[in-house]
Amino acid sequence: MRNGSVQRQAFFKVLVANRGEIALRVMRSARRLGLGVVAVYSDADRDSLHVRQADQAVRIGEALPAQSYLNIPAIIAAAKASGADAVHPGYGFLAENEDFAQACKDAGLVFIGPSPQAILAMGNKAGAKDIMKKAGVPCVPGYQGADQGDEVMLAEAKKIGFPVMIKAVAGGGGRGMRLVADTASFPDALRSARSEAKAAFGDGSVILERAIQNPRHIEIQVFGDAHGNAIHLGERDCSVQRRHQKLIEEAPSPAVTSELRAKMGEVAVAAVKALRYEGAGTLEFLLDERGEFYFMEMNTRLQVEHPVTEAITGLDLVELQLRIARGEPLPVKQQDIRFSGHAIEVRLCSEDAAHDFMPQSGRMVRWQVPDDIRVEHALQSGSEIPPFYDSMIAKVISHGASREEARGRLIVGLEQLVAFGVTTNQAFLMSCLRHPGFARGEATTAFIGAHRDELLASRKDSASDAALAGLLLYVTNPHAPSWRSGRSLAATFPLPVKIEIGGHAHELDVRRERDGSYVVAAGEQTHMFEIDQLVSDAIRFRHAGVMDTAKFYRDGDRLYVQHRGLPLAATDLTLAAPKLAAANGGDGKVRAAMNGRVVAVLVRPGDRVTAGQPVMTLEAMKMEHVHKAGIDGVIAAIDVAEGEQVTTGRIVVEIGADQATS
């Protein structure tokens, strides 16, 4: 399945058919090879960094992916308008779409990736498994038949035996994937998986697989060229996941021996050669507790986690893609590949880990990254995080001589990174990296589920954090006396301050002492602070005999603080009216928990519902989120329609009292 002849046409300008950090990453390598770069953007990304840093940029449509980044004619037209002669798809969106690869070829554009035939063969999970079985590669037992009827799917699931995995035939990244424990929950999981897959990839078809309990997720990076050469670059361990989406990836895997690496690599290279595959690809396997591995799928593109492979091999994987697309042979042979040290990557996502990893959108008011660690991002202070795309906003990658060194460097890098304004999983990632199980290299795909409570546990010094937040809200109030006033002032009367951190309210009293120090009281606990320096975004202070620092940003009644490496956000409720039960739907009104699109209305007017019953499903950042009734009652009104885009807090369903029982 060669993508044209070895004598490829030369190209000099590359259009990157993607957005954000992905686009910037590709542009960096393209420019290093002397190539011009073109960005495309939706209305939501008009002011994005990847747009401003490209040589040229072309608008391709409205905010929703289907109207922009999945719009093949618009992207081809953008390439023609800009004079680009090659297209790099990045990862996600159209990266594994054979129609897009073919459209590029038909338009006379070089597609920087495998041939349309290879994408079709391996990008479809069902077809890929058939090919691998014929090649003698062990596969997970399952069903990948053409009959997608509900009754057939349920019958096949029963044959396989629960628990089973439902997986979207097209695409990846955890979208359209559901773990189903029993027969009763299968129909709803099937509907949800199909809906999510259709929205993300334009294809609602799914396959079924036996769920292998507590495996490791191991993938092998491969490359093939137009001259028949193929290599592998070792494995990556991607076992730490939430919602079947990777959060932490590392290379090499703590569980893979040199013998197992050679065996898995040999299988992967044999598959690439059998396909006569050109470009970057990844074969993904499940590794069970006995050391047996099973093929899951092949990603016919670059992976999000490719930087860890770059770190341990010293190779630029995007450069390899570009060279292969120009018809050049692979510059290295298998025996030339050397692995140096250990690398770990974390995905920084705009999501609230404490609330089931709910996606977050909004304005990143302050963004700072450390200088001595690799951070892939497309953000700056003031950037908007739109609700229409994946929640990953950055990747932080460390490399060390040993796994422990890499882990330590990554923790320090995350401690120094500042992301104020949008809730992220920064603290959760640090909890994962610090967990003894991860530190020992024992994490499987069950890691987050098994240790969720520990990973989400409140900080041990939460009382001190609340006191510091109360102090900062007090001293940054424009009407507060200057902290520089010195010792001559009389002590002030205690000022009550009420704040909320992570859903917990704290009632404090803040008092200025004669000597210029501050006392923050919370019930019977008191905390004394001496301010040494206070500037617009940082404070240096003494507390409990220790000189300490914190970064902060105040945005009206909202305060963001980074203290001892961990972020927190506090809301000043001192002058706020008491919260109503409305916040939890106790007033009978179900409100949208995020900006998103209505994908399913699960009730009708007049239906009786009970508290906790699902009533509506929204999709945000490519994931579905079920909204539930807050009270028992009868559906009085449905205020939105399927397909409608809604904003956070909008009333979507109204529930009234059940007259029959009242």
Side-chain angles (χ1 to χ4, degrees), residues 20-26 28-29 91 304 306-307 310 318 345-348 367 369 373-379 392-397 417:
E21 63 90 13
I22 306 169
L24 289 175
R25 168 67 191 92
V26 174
R28 190 166 67 243
S29 290
Y91 33 89
V304 174
H306 76 273
E310 293 183 326
V318 177
E345 171 185 293
V346 294
R347 302 189 186 192
L348 186 72
W367 173 257
V369 298
I373 195 168
R374 181 173 174 178
V375 182
E376 298 283 350
H377 69 97
L379 296 173
M392 190 187 78
I393 56 175
K395 303 178 304 194
V396 187
I397 307 100
L417 184 144

Side-chain angles (χ1 to χ4, degrees), residues 550-563:
K551 296 180 180 180
F552 69 91
Y553 182 90
R554 181 164 185 170
D555 186 11
D557 291 336
R558 191 74 165 163
L559 176 75
Y560 304 95
V561 184
Q562 183 102 337
H563 180 221

Side-chain angles (χ1 to χ4, degrees), residues 355-433:
H355 292 85
D356 198 27
F357 303 98
M358 184 80 72
Q360 305 290 302
S361 56
R363 182 168 171 262
M364 187 68 75
V365 295
R366 177 154 297 160
W367 173 257
Q368 297 173 348
V369 298
D371 296 327
D372 53 354
I373 195 168
R374 181 173 174 178
V375 182
E376 298 283 350
H377 69 97
L379 296 173
Q380 58 187 359
S381 296
S383 291
E384 288 290 333
I385 310 296
F388 311 106
Y389 314 116
D390 192 273
S391 64
M392 190 187 78
I393 56 175
K395 303 178 304 194
V396 187
I397 307 100
S398 67
H399 181 238
S402 66
R403 184 175 186 270
E404 187 59 18
E405 183 178 313
R407 188 177 73 93
R409 287 182 175 177
L410 188 51
I411 291 171
V412 171
L414 283 170
E415 287 177 340
Q416 295 174 344
L417 184 144
V418 175
F420 290 161
V422 179
T423 301
T424 74
N425 64 342
Q426 182 180 1
F428 183 78
L429 292 172
M430 284 188 272
S431 292
C432 291
L433 293 171

Side-chain angles (χ1 to χ4, degrees), residues 56 95 158 181 192 214 377 385 409 411 427 479 536:
Q56 297 169 282
K158 290 178 179 178
S192 179
N214 299 328
H377 69 97
I385 310 296
R409 287 182 175 177
I411 291 171
H479 303 295
S536 62

Side-chain angles (χ1 to χ4, degrees), residues 27-46:
M27 290 177 189
R28 190 166 67 243
S29 290
R31 280 187 165 134
R32 193 157 51 238
L33 291 182
L35 301 170
V37 291
V38 180
V40 292
Y41 64 92
S42 70
D43 288 344
D45 284 337
R46 183 183 185 89

Side-chain angles (χ1 to χ4, degrees), residues 223-304:
F223 275 90
D225 65 22
H227 303 268
N229 303 309
I231 59 171
H232 74 85
L233 301 181
E235 83 284 355
R236 295 184 288 257
D237 193 317
C238 309
S239 299
V240 180
Q241 305 176 2
R242 55 92 179 92
R243 286 185 172 147
H244 310 295
Q245 289 184 304
K246 304 162 189 173
L247 276 187
I248 303 177
E249 303 101 349
E250 59 182 308
S253 168
V256 174
T257 63
S258 57
E259 293 79 15
L260 181 57
R261 180 177 302 114
K263 185 177 180 181
M264 296 180 78
E266 184 180 347
V267 166
V269 168
V272 170
K273 287 185 174 180
L275 288 166
R276 303 178 74 178
Y277 184 89
E278 299 175 31
T282 307
L283 279 77
E284 303 204 357
F285 299 91
L286 292 178
L287 179 67
D288 68 17
E289 296 170 342
R290 300 171 300 169
E292 299 293 329
F293 60 92
Y294 303 91
F295 173 80
M296 288 193 300
E297 63 188 34
M298 181 177 183
N299 292 307
T300 55
R301 55 172 168 82
L302 195 68
Q303 293 278 82
V304 174

Side-chain angles (χ1 to χ4, degrees), residues 500-518:
E500 182 183 58
I501 301 175
H504 300 288
H506 301 265
E507 296 192 6
L508 312 169
D509 285 325
V510 183
R511 185 176 77 251
R512 177 77 178 272
E513 297 286 67
R514 287 179 181 274
D515 62 1
S517 63
Y518 293 83

Side-chain angles (χ1 to χ4, degrees), residues 73-85:
I75 294 172
I76 299 297
K80 293 293 188 182
S82 64
D85 43 12

